[in-house]
């Protein structure tokens, strides 16, 4: 097993263990990893927090140090001074200073909230997805509990209770440049703890989940509003919790994409029947240690990691698109019809539109793969003249992955891979139909040759050469309607027959009329077998997995579990659009079942990673 595959297998096992309660994430300042972030963010896993007396004593000591600094004569940044380019100001009103900090950072655009509101899709587009917010609070708690920021236990515990009660503060999607941390997003989360009347959050389960203002939220979960004292506002917002959490989710998705690309490549090789050298997966080079750290220089590390991920996604997308276009092109797909059409090519264009859609996905992925770090502008009185844009980079990484499967980069890649996988299953069906057709045709070829050319003895080598020529003619004529196709194929094969007969040294003369009758009969038989084989497959479809080996598990999953239908090119049969069928695959990419299936295929195990699950990943 490769290092990368072993890593992904362990990664998915860890996510599963958290999701199924076999492993509990612990907020202790050092134990948080990417699988834990995924479990808390996407599976509503409830982490434990280290509330030991020793931990609380260390936190209290740090708070005491800040209090001593606040009362001293020497100015202390963010405690008695202003912030950033305004650090020249001085004040002893330390609590008011923290309120001013939170206020200045709450400058993003949000919907016009109302208590008990259900947001429209357009309104939700202005905000962080709720799974991101859970991840942000989890990662930030892991930093705060290290007792290095002087934040009281009541604040840490309050943020933890928001997470446990599945409260998701409403955070503007756009605002942060991730310079001195993700100030804006963390300020909106912190504002809920203070009970600010214009800070809102999601609360409730299922259809009852609504948006409420902070005082209502705190009342519902039994918390009192907290007034931050010296440095606490700064401690809460001056970190990379948002960009790190989003980067972790992107990292997780890219691991799955890396494995899926290898499985789809293997699938492609089988249906095309040609060899291509393996490609190393570059995802393993991207490190994730950044999730424990803060400050601008670590935000730069997050940006670097997510920009690498986007390049990885782009390279994978190009590979998937190249394989897809080879599969759809009858000049390169080794005997399959153009556009993987089941019907007559003159009236069935099957996946031609999907080819165009895949090109659109790849173009968008290429655009999103561009670095955001080249677009840095100086901000905040030039105090943040060089900033990381780490959160923006992380957002676009998730966007790219969606395109690859179908936030846009990840969405784009998921869309492309869904299209590719749909085409592979269609190709497997067509290859199965074609294999059955050719097997029957080769048998009929022998029979018809014996019937129309009696008295001539043909050895196996003769039929091997005749069959080889027939294969070439069949492979080169898939873009023709069946009637025309088999007339031309058998006409060309008759010329080959004559040439082979002339090469024979001990044969009797064969009348041309007999050869012509042989041609006419084979033309009729070949089209009849062709039509009957397709009709028979329509009565008992979904047999394409038989020629695939382990990748047949994926074919069976797509056709059986997901219910993705083959496209027949017949309006009386095709009751759903091609896009609707591809969308079934797109939605499945986020399931643990799909991800674990990919790993099982590569590992070579018929079992799973510890049970069946359809939880979102």
């Amino acid at each position: 097993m490769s290092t990368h595959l072993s890593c992904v297998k362990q990664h998915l096992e860890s996510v599963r263990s958290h999701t199924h309660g076999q492993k509990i994430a612990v907020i202790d300042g050092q134990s948080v990893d990417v699988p834990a972030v995924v479990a808390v963010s996407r599976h509503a896993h409830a982490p434990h927090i280290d509330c030991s007396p020793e931990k609380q004593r260390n936190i209290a000591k740090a708070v005491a140090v800040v209090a001593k600094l606040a009362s001293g004569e020497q100015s202390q940044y963010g405690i008695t001074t202003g912030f950033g380019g305004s650090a020249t100001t001085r004040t002893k009103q330390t609590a008011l200073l923290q309120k001013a900090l939170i206020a200045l950072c709450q400058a993003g655009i949000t919907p016009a909230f109302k208590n008990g509101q259900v947001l429209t899709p357009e309104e939700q587009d202005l905000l962080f997805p709720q799974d991101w917010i859970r991840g942000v609070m989890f990662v930030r708690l892991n930093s705060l509990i290290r007792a290095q920021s002087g934040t009281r236990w009541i604040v840490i515990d309050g943020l933890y209770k928001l997470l446990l009660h599945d409260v998701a503060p409403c955070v503007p999607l756009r605002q942060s440049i991730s310079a001195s941390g993700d100030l804006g997003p963390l300020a909106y989360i912190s504002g809920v703890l203070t009970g600010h009347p214009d800070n809102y959050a999601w609360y409730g389960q299922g259809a009852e989940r609504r948006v409420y203002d902070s005082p209502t939220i705190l009342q519902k979960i039994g918390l009192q509003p907290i007034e931050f004292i010296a440095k606490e506002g700064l401690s809460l917002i001056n970190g990379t919790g948002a960009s790190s959490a989003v980067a972790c989710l992107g990292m997780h998705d890219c691991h799955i994409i890396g494995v899926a690309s290898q499985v789809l490549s293997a699938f492609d090789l089988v249906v095309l029947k040609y060899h291509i050298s393996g490609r190393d997966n570059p995802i393993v080079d991207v490190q994730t240690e950044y999730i424990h750290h803060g400050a601008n220089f670590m935000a730069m590390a997050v940006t670097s990691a997510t920009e690498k991920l986007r390049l990885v996604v782009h390279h994978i997308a190009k590979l998937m698109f190249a394989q897809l276009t080879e599969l759809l092109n009858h000049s390169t797909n080794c005997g399959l019809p153009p556009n993987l059409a089941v019907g007559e090519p003159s009236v069935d264009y099957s996946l031609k539109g999907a080819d165009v859609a895949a090109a659109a996905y790849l173009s968008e992925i290429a655009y999103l793969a561009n670095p955001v770090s080249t677009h840095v502008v100086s901000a905040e009185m030039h105090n943040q003249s060089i900033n990381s844009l780490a959160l923006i980079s992380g957002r676009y990484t998730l966007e790219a992955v969606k395109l690859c499967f179908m936030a846009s980069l990840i969405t784009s890649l998921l869309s492309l891979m869904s299209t590719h996988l749909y085409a592979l299953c269609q190709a497997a069906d067509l290859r199965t139909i074609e294999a059955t057709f050719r097997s029957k045709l080769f048998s009929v070829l022998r029979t018809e040759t014996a019937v129309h050319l009696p008295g001539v003895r043909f050895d196996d080598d003769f039929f091997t050469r005749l069959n080889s020529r027939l294969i070439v003619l069949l492979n080169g004529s898939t873009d023709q309607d069946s009637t025309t196709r088999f007339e031309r194929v058998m006409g060309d094969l008759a010329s080959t027959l004559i040439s082979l007969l002339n090469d024979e040294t001990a044969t009797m003369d064969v009348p041309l009329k007999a050869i012509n009758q042989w041609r006419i009969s084979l033309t009729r038989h070949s089209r009849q077998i062709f039509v009957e084989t397709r009709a028979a497959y329509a009565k008992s479809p979904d047999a394409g997995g038989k020629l695939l080996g382990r990748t047949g598990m994926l074919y069976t999953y797509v056709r059986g579990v997901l219910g993705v239908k083959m496209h027949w090119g017949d309006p009386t049969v095709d009751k759903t659009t091609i896009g609707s069928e591809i969308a079934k695959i797109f939605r499945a990419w986020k399931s643990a079942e799909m991800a674990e299936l990919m790993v099982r295929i590569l590992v070579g195990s018929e079992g799973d990673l510890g049970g069946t699950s359809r939880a979102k990943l």
Side-chain angles (χ1 to χ4, degrees), residues 435-445 529 532-533 536:
T436 303
F437 160 69
R438 294 189 182 193
S439 176
K440 292 179 179 178
L441 182 59
F442 293 155
S443 177
V444 168
L445 177 61
I529 296 169
E532 289 177 351
T533 302

Side-chain angles (χ1 to χ4, degrees), residues 232-281:
E232 284 183 333
L234 182 62
S235 298
L236 282 165
I237 71 172
N238 196 194
T240 58
S243 50
S244 295
V246 173
C248 287
L249 298 179
M251 176 75 68
H252 168 77
D253 289 344
C254 286
H255 275 313
I256 296 171
I257 284 174
V259 171
S261 69
Q262 296 174 60
V263 173
L264 296 191
S265 294
F267 201 143
D268 205 277
L269 298 184
V270 174
V271 294
L272 287 179
K273 293 188 181 293
Y274 71 90
H275 178 71
I276 187 170
S277 60
R279 292 171 173 81
D280 292 333
N281 194 308

